[in-house]
Amino acid sequence: MPITQTREITPASRLANVRYAIRDLACYADEVTKQGHKILPLNIGDPNVFDFVTPSHLIEAVYAAMRENKNGYAPSSGITQAVEAIRGEAAKKGITTVQDVFVTSGVSETVDLCLAALLNPGEDLLTPCPDYPLYSAVLAKLGIGLNAYYLNEDDGWQPDLDDIKRKITPRTRGIVLINPNNPTGSVCTRAMLEEIAELARRHNLVILADEIYDKLILDDDEHVAFAAVAPDVPTVTFGGLSKNYLAPGWRIGWGIVSGDAAAVKPYNDGIQKLLRARLCANHPEQYAIKPALEGPQDHLIEVRRKLRSRRDLTVKMCNAMPRVHCVSPRGAFYAFPSIDIPEGDDVFVRELILQKHVMVVHGSGFGQKPGTQHFRIVFLPDEKTLEKAYAAIAELMRERYF
Ligand SMILES: Cc1ncc(COP(=O)(O)O)c(C=O)c1O
């Protein structure tokens, strides 16, 4: 029978809650680019777009692997030399109760697998607010509602412990901790981690410790791995090559499963099942893991030096702007200043792109306390670019709100 009518294929309704503000702004940038203007991109956390390059010994390791025809499928949990190097890294982080280690296509896949292996419909996971939006996107994909705990701006964006306590329900399975934090740049104190560990013990919770920025500490804080202060608590610690080793396009991440062996076994079996179902992570790129974790770390000295200088400039110029207040970031390469304006921060960000050609991300794209407004800056660009961008932001503030 001939087809007479084409009907729309509707996507699943659960996708209505999937948002990724960082890339969703691209349409405004396209408009500006089409008019012949250049955008100053302070929106995407990709170091390789700026003056950061992947260490050459890692490139050589991947190239050699490709030449040696390591181009087939890899074991589902990762190649042996990478798994052993990650176990070594776990030991350096002070994690003494490692039960398993697995390699993924970026921490993005670790997040996807760990959430899918944990949560049943009707259960929930405590995620930070503001958060890295992948977590809420994956939860939406799984049909799980959001249960977000606040980070406290007045306390340097540390997790709000009382809010976490209020929000734990009998259906809560775990807590996501992003440390160092995206989008605020905060670094958790040891005391905070100890308090969260106590809550996890009391309520039988899994901790998903996203520590992808753990080597990008900008001051003299020590980075404390959650699993090191809570060796008994079921934890998956996330790490990868994207940020510390300046290779986000390689899509290499990993998970370190730790805690009481009997307690984590069933959950880990579930993760392993999903790892097998998706075959493997990118194969040749896995050969960079051992040289990254065990080889020279010299690039990190230069990376931290640049980031410290760009962070200092960011905080100084933001705090000199009217209606803006910026808590100084202590890790990673993000700042999350508050803005006191009479309209939504999404409108402010849209106008900033269209009028001043500077791209940041609105705070509402990450979630924030009702009644507050923010924007997220990526301070990876060089000082000259940042100065230009902050001058443009200050100009828009003056033109629009005074
Ligand atoms: C907190 C956090 N977790 C995970 C990711 C994803 O990392 P990957 O490139 O390893 O998928 C990012 C990327 O920006 C991030 O900021």
Side-chain angles (χ1 to χ4, degrees), residues 341-385:
I341 53 171
E343 59 187 348
D345 51 24
D346 52 335
V347 178
F348 167 75
V349 164
R350 186 191 66 209
E351 291 309 307
L352 188 62
I353 299 170
L354 295 176
Q355 293 185 39
K356 305 292 175 191
H357 316 146
V358 174
M359 201 154 162
V360 295
V361 185
H362 45 294
S364 40
F366 299 90
Q368 58 195 350
K369 264 192 188 153
T372 65
Q373 324 257 40
H374 297 84
F375 61 98
R376 188 193 74 166
I377 295 168
V378 172
F379 55 80
L380 286 168
D382 61 41
E383 285 78 354
K384 246 171 84 184
T385 309

Side-chain angles (χ1 to χ4, degrees), residues 250-263:
W250 287 355
R251 314 304 304 124
I252 290 291
W254 53 79
I256 301 164
V257 182
S258 62
D260 176 82

Side-chain angles (χ1 to χ4, degrees), residues 106-108 132 135 178 182 210 212-213 242-243 248 251-252 334:
V107 168
S108 302
Y132 174 60
Y135 288 93
I178 304 177
N182 176 5
D210 184 336
I212 190 170
Y213 299 98
S242 293
K243 315 291 179 173
R251 314 304 304 124
I252 290 291
Y334 308 100

Side-chain angles (χ1 to χ4, degrees), residues 161 175 177 190-203 205 207 226 229-233:
L161 208 59
I175 304 177
L177 269 183
R190 182 183 285 272
M192 176 60 67
L193 298 178
E194 280 166 358
E195 296 262 22
I196 291 171
E198 265 317 296
L199 288 178
R201 290 184 189 106
R202 202 172 317 142
H203 298 279
L205 304 176
I207 300 296
F226 176 83
V229 303
D232 55 319
V233 172

Side-chain angles (χ1 to χ4, degrees), residues 9 17 135 146 160 189 191 214 244 274 285 319 323 342 395:
I9 310 297
N17 294 326
Y135 288 93
L146 207 58
D160 182 336
T189 62
D214 65 350
N244 293 341
L274 292 179
E285 288 82 355
N319 282 332
R323 295 174 178 263
E395 200 174 82

